[in-house]
Amino acid sequence: MFKYILGRIGAMLLTLFLVMTLSFWIIRLMPMSIFENPEVSPEIQKKLEDRMHLHEPMAVQYFYFIEGIAVRGDFGTSVKIRPGLDVFEILSTRIPATVVLNAFSLILSIPLGILFGSWAALKRNKWADNIISFWIVICISVPSFVFASLLQYFLTFVWPLFPTLYNAQASNFGAQLYSMILPIIALSLNPIASIARYLRGELIETLSSDFMLLARTKGLTQGEATMKHAFRNSLVPIANTIIPMITGIMGGSLVIEKMFAVNGMGGLLIDSILAGDHFLTVALLIFYSAISLFTILVVDISYGIIDPRIRVGGRA
Amino acid sequence: MMTENSTILSVNDLRISFRTVNGVVQAVRGVSFDLKRGETVAIVGESGSGKSVTMKALMGILPPNAVIEEGSILYNDMDLTKADEKVMHEIRGKRIGLIFQDPLSALNPIMRVGKQITEVLRKRGLSSAEAKERAIELIRAVGIPDPERSYSAYPFQFSGGMRQRVVIAIALAGDPEILICDEPTTALDVTVQAKILDLINQIKEERGLSVIFITHDLGVVANMADRVNVMYAGRIVEAGTAEEIFFEPVHPYTWALLESMPDLQTSGRLQAIPGAPPNMIAPPPGDAFAPRSSYALKIDYEQEPPMFALSDTHIAATWLLHPKAPKLEMPASLKERIARMRKEAEKYV
């Protein structure tokens, strides 16, 4: 198991390095000058260029870039969005809102998805299953920003139960969280539906498997057999859907953050790309990749915990 | 043979059908047989002959769309066809154990082998330490090497034969008195088959089990069964002691089964049974095997043959046994083969 995790971490670091390299080259080769501000005098521009090694060839800049991150944790300085500020500092002020939003959405999605999915599977072709399956189709096919608009219209305008926008200045964390409920719901509907859909399919298949029959013939009740044998087996493939789900939440978060005025990373990424704040863009891309890679690592490890065939690494 | 000859399980005129989108499938159409204490009864037939459905009915694990139309399964004067889930739950595992066809899919792939055995023992009220001890004993009893280590291994770490031994250990954990083996060797290599059959025979002797052995392979039955029921299209077409079925078969279907068995002396190709089993949504009238049989009489297509008794133990449902039927002998090649089998058998007596 230890070896398995170590191998995964190694692969993750390698991928992260490749992502860093790719995003550096792609972003920096874009036809946009880092300094276009006429108010900055040429002398200062020259000084800044010297400091950021911008007069050097790209290959050399690339090594400065890698060295800065690897040795000093220095991602560079913002030049357009918040001129002069350290990119890492900008990130750290924006990260919490996004992380809270995405984390709550995830925490909400997984148990609810599992609940609805197994409910539908156990009541297969009964009315409960039909209702759940109907909503699964709706929630998967309608994008999250549509739900966001509907939620905003009905729950803040028609029945004003929630604040329309995220309130970062709220007096306490509870009030802050309260203003975040709508974006969390908007972000969660799709992942809940996709987990439920996968689990329903998996569980139905597992319930009709031979080992379920054996579990019953050896004297377990249907309920015991379902809990002890079917459930965990159906979770194995579900772990895989968590990865696209998390990246999906983060992608949805880009739009949802704008709609609810959440001052997170999503808005920042779009602004920095449009403004040509290359250092900031690259840092944000690396951050998003790092999060994705981290979730993949967590999923891979949980995979190993759920399924011994991966952990023990014998012949399948 | 045991001296005690009481009937432990009795199946009487069992009829089971499935409700499907295409219509009602009559999977079992009047099956009767008895299982006596300490003996092995084999049910032999092709795929789709209804043998596995009969087995599922015995265990009370028929799929939801199956209906028991008629008949009874008497176990200790209790009719299992009318028993509710609560009663069946008491019987499954504890009274009647089951060995599956495919040991690969019958075991939970992500649960340790030991846990899958102790689960049954814990249900019977053993403490976890007792259960573990007992499970290791069982693992040893079914001939798996290194029981302590195997206890905490996963199914995928075993070979097919070893997995089947695990399944047998699970079946034995409930300490049943009847063991149903549903094609226990079909998914295994030939060399492993013999070992598993020996093991089943051995535990049967040791524990005084009564065994119902379901298979499509008459060759496997030869060394196992005291009595044999040959099933075709949801019916028993011939039943008798192993000697009667192997040495004096009378039903054309039994002949065909025997001829399709590989044998060291057979030169040339094996004789496959022509055609396919009938569609059980609309089973043919009369003798269901008639369309595939080269010995079919006109009446075979019209009227269902009754059971003719050849001896106290030997019965067969074929019009060939009717006094008015033409006197037909089994094919010559089969006769030779049976003669060879007799010789083989005498060698071992």
Side-chain angles (χ1 to χ4, degrees):
Chain A
M1 186 66 188
F2 183 68
K3 214 171 146 191
Y4 170 77
I5 297 177
L6 221 59
R8 288 281 123 192
I9 292 178
M12 174 183 149
L13 289 177
L14 187 68
T15 317
L16 193 60
F17 175 74
L18 288 176
V19 167
M20 274 163 59
T21 306
L22 269 178
S23 41
F24 174 85
W25 284 98
I26 291 171
I27 300 292
R28 293 294 286 273
L29 289 177
M30 284 206 302
M32 215 191 263
S33 161
I34 290 186
F35 297 109
E36 271 166 350
N37 197 338
E39 286 171 27
V40 181
S41 67
E43 293 81 52
I44 296 177
Q45 277 203 20
K46 179 84 180 51
K47 272 194 169 170
L48 279 172
E49 278 182 7
D50 279 351
R51 225 184 82 199
M52 296 178 185
H53 311 289
L54 292 179
H55 54 280
E56 310 264 11
M58 279 296 277
V60 177
Q61 288 189 38
Y62 170 69
F63 282 107
Y64 277 116
F65 164 76
I66 294 289
E67 188 220 343
I69 294 173
V71 179
R72 282 168 277 130
D74 175 16
F75 287 83
T77 312
S78 169
V79 287
K80 299 253 173 81
I81 304 282
R82 309 281 294 276
L85 263 186
D86 191 41
V87 165
F88 195 75
E89 256 170 62
I90 302 177
L91 281 190
S92 54
T93 59
R94 295 292 202 113
I95 286 174
T98 298
V99 166
V100 169
L101 177 61
N102 291 2
F104 270 103
S105 166
L106 200 62
I107 291 169
L108 191 70
S109 307
I110 295 176
L112 281 182
I114 289 176
L115 177 76
F116 286 123
S118 36
W119 189 6
L122 294 175
K123 299 279 171 209
R124 185 185 178 190
N125 295 339
K126 305 255 172 65
W127 60 267
D129 177 29
N130 291 337
I131 292 174
I132 292 173
S133 296
F134 173 76
W135 277 103
I136 284 175
V137 174
I138 301 268
C139 290
I140 284 180
S141 43
V142 178
S144 55
F145 57 84
V146 175
F147 285 119
S149 322
L150 290 175
L151 286 171
Q152 276 183 326
Y153 178 71
F154 284 107
L155 295 183
T156 72
F157 178 70
V158 182
W159 301 289
L161 299 172
F162 295 96
T164 316
L165 299 175
Y166 172 63
N167 183 4
Q169 270 73 50
S171 50
N172 55 40
F173 185 68
Q176 216 170 325
L177 200 61
Y178 182 64
S179 64
M180 210 184 241
I181 288 179
L182 289 190
I184 290 173
I185 294 177
L187 262 184
S188 305
L189 288 175
N190 186 298
I192 289 174
S194 54
I195 292 187
R197 193 172 74 97
Y198 272 102
L199 186 64
R200 179 183 177 273
E202 280 301 327
L203 200 55
I204 284 175
E205 206 183 306
T206 318
L207 282 175
S208 59
S209 68
D210 270 2
F211 64 81
M212 278 298 288
L213 216 53
L214 179 84
R216 301 223 20 233
T217 62
K218 70 184 182 189
L220 300 186
T221 61
Q222 181 72 45
E224 286 170 332
T226 307
M227 281 316 292
K228 287 183 179 162
H229 292 275
F231 206 62
R232 200 167 144 208
N233 268 291
S234 340
L235 286 184
V236 177
I238 298 300
N240 236 359
T241 69
I242 304 279
I243 297 171
M245 198 188 89
I246 290 173
T247 50
I249 290 181
M250 290 198 305
S253 182
L254 295 181
V255 183
I256 299 294
E257 281 176 28
K258 279 239 151 198
M259 292 184 71
F260 288 93
V262 178
N263 54 343
M265 318 271 298
L268 193 62
L269 178 63
I270 296 169
D271 291 344
S272 76
I273 291 173
L274 292 178
D277 198 340
H278 291 341
F279 289 107
L280 189 55
T281 311
V282 172
L284 280 164
L285 286 178
I286 293 173
F287 170 79
Y288 270 99
S289 322
I291 292 270
S292 308
L293 286 170
F294 180 71
T295 59
I296 293 173
L297 177 73
V298 170
V299 168
D300 276 348
I301 291 173
S302 59
Y303 229 151
I305 292 170
I306 300 172
D307 192 340
R309 283 168 292 190
I310 290 164
R311 180 175 60 225
V312 186
R315 61 217 143 103
Chain B
M1 275 280 156
M2 292 187 94
T3 43
E4 196 182 1
N5 241 8
S6 61
T7 299
I8 182 168
L9 186 85
S10 164
V11 178
N12 302 304
D13 197 31
L14 189 65
R15 283 166 203 273
I16 301 169
S17 41
F18 288 87
R19 306 270 181 271
T20 70
V21 257
N22 298 324
V24 176
V25 179
Q26 303 173 31
V28 176
R29 304 186 294 157
V31 162
S32 308
F33 65 90
D34 288 345
L35 176 68
K36 295 199 170 66
R37 212 169 275 280
E39 74 169 358
T40 302
V41 166
I43 302 179
V44 186
E46 279 169 288
S47 314
S49 60
K51 52 193 196 312
S52 285
V53 178
T54 310
M55 172 278 289
K56 285 192 171 136
L58 294 178
M59 291 301 281
I61 49 170
L62 284 168
N65 63 335
V67 183
I68 298 179
E69 308 273 3
E70 255 188 83
S72 61
I73 301 168
L74 294 177
Y75 167 77
N76 283 349
D77 297 323
M78 185 169 34
D79 187 353
L80 298 189
T81 59
K82 297 190 175 60
D84 59 12
E85 180 59 28
K86 228 175 165 181
V87 176
M88 284 316 293
H89 180 221
E90 285 304 306
I91 286 173
R92 279 195 290 261
K94 291 169 206 156
R95 306 296 182 80
I96 307 179
L98 179 64
I99 300 175
F100 273 86
Q101 173 172 357
D102 185 359
L104 176 59
S105 57
L107 292 171
N108 184 342
I110 59 173
M111 191 187 266
R112 288 177 200 279
V113 161
K115 177 95 198 294
Q116 299 196 41
I117 302 174
T118 52
E119 219 176 20
V120 191
L121 299 164
R122 298 278 289 154
K123 288 283 287 182
R124 292 173 56 212
L126 272 71
S127 74
S128 72
E130 283 168 343
K132 180 173 179 182
E133 199 179 310
R134 182 93 185 84
I136 290 175
E137 250 169 60
L138 281 166
I139 294 174
R140 187 174 291 120
V142 294
I144 297 174
D146 203 352
E148 277 84 9
R149 247 185 69 202
S150 303
Y151 177 85
S152 45
Y154 288 97
F156 67 89
Q157 294 169 308
F158 288 103
S159 66
M162 286 299 149
R163 271 182 219 153
Q164 191 59 291
R165 285 169 196 265
V166 173
V167 174
I168 295 175
I170 292 174
L172 292 180
D175 210 4
E177 45 182 358
I178 300 174
L179 190 63
I180 302 178
C181 308
D182 183 12
E183 310 224 14
T185 56
T186 308
L188 303 177
D189 290 343
V190 183
T191 46
V192 182
Q193 282 187 5
K195 288 184 192 154
I196 294 292
L197 294 178
D198 283 347
L199 175 66
I200 293 174
N201 268 337
Q202 178 204 331
I203 55 177
K204 179 201 150 196
E205 293 301 326
E206 284 172 4
R207 290 158 194 264
L209 298 176
S210 315
V211 178
I212 298 176
F213 198 93
I214 294 167
T215 181
H216 63 267
D217 186 354
L218 264 179
V220 167
V221 168
N223 310 311
M224 299 291 296
D226 301 309
R227 288 189 300 122
V228 181
N229 293 290
V230 180
M231 247 184 119
Y232 186 78
R235 285 209 176 98
I236 289 178
V237 293
E238 185 166 2
T241 63
E243 289 79 20
E244 284 163 340
I245 296 295
F246 279 94
F247 300 148
E248 299 149 21
V250 291
H251 197 285
Y253 181 62
T254 316
W255 295 349
L257 274 185
L258 282 166
E259 283 214 287
S260 63
M261 228 166 70
D263 163 301
L264 284 177
Q265 305 291 318
T266 5
S267 47
R269 298 173 66 99
L270 279 177
Q271 287 230 288
I273 305 177
N279 177 358
M280 296 308 287
I281 291 178
D287 186 341
F289 186 60
R292 300 171 72 188
S293 166
S294 35
Y295 307 97
L297 308 171
K298 185 161 171 283
I299 191 168
D300 275 327
Y301 292 95
E302 292 158 1
Q303 220 176 319
E304 198 183 309
M307 274 290 178
F308 292 95
L310 290 127
S311 74
D312 283 349
T313 48
H314 194 181
I315 52 170
T318 168
W319 283 115
L320 293 178
L321 295 175
H322 194 269
K324 285 187 193 157
K327 289 287 159 268
L328 250 176
E329 293 262 318
M330 66 178 83
S333 58
L334 182 61
K335 241 182 187 170
E336 282 169 32
R337 184 191 272 253
I338 289 174
R340 280 201 302 274
M341 289 197 301
R342 265 185 199 280
K343 244 193 210 154
E344 277 300 295
E346 274 155 16
K347 261 195 232 165
Y348 293 105
V349 169

